[in-house]
Amino acid sequence: MAQATDQAFYDRADAHVELANQQIEKLEDLGKVSASMTFAASRFNAWMAARSFKSAAEMAAAREELLKYFSEQYRMMLEDNLDEHIEHFDRYVLGKDG
């Protein structure tokens, strides 16, 4: 289940962020857009995981492993993005160059 981090990986992620940004412009509620995006990612990941099993029982047996894997992946990605936003706070949040 390893993910490649080539340019296509970032392009796909940017497409999702762009959609979220468009929704924020219409809704003006970051929390609701964030919640929908998180729910969509979890629903897609559950569907993707389900496709690798032959039965519900097989998937149920792997449930804790799946939860651990996806939770760890999310945490690592969130840590990286939080660190980047801390480092570039003025530019990303305040719109200041430099």
Side-chain angles (χ1 to χ4, degrees):
M1 288 189 198
Q3 296 176 349
T5 52
D6 59 1
Q7 187 57 47
F9 172 90
Y10 294 107
D11 291 345
R12 288 188 302 273
D14 288 346
H16 292 289
V17 171
E18 178 59 31
L19 175 60
N21 287 336
Q22 291 170 11
Q23 292 173 346
I24 289 168
E25 288 174 11
K26 293 176 188 173
L27 185 61
E28 296 183 6
D29 188 328
L30 285 99
K32 288 182 179 180
V33 173
S34 176
S36 296
M37 190 172 194
T38 302
F39 178 78
S42 70
R43 183 167 62 183
F44 181 82
N45 287 331
W47 173 80
M48 182 204 66
R51 291 178 48 117
S52 66
F53 296 99
K54 293 182 173 124
S55 70
E58 186 181 302
M59 186 177 179
R63 184 178 186 275
E64 289 305 313
E65 182 181 339
L66 291 165
L67 285 168
K68 183 177 185 237
Y69 171 79
F70 284 112
S71 296
E72 287 173 355
Q73 289 297 303
Y74 181 82
R75 183 177 180 103
M76 286 183 342
M77 292 176 193
L78 182 58
E79 286 175 349
D80 288 347
N81 281 290
L82 286 172
D83 291 346
E84 181 179 344
H85 278 73
I86 290 166
E87 182 179 346
H88 301 286
F89 186 87
D90 286 350
R91 183 169 41 140
Y92 289 179
V93 177
L94 303 178
K96 296 179 183 177
D97 289 330

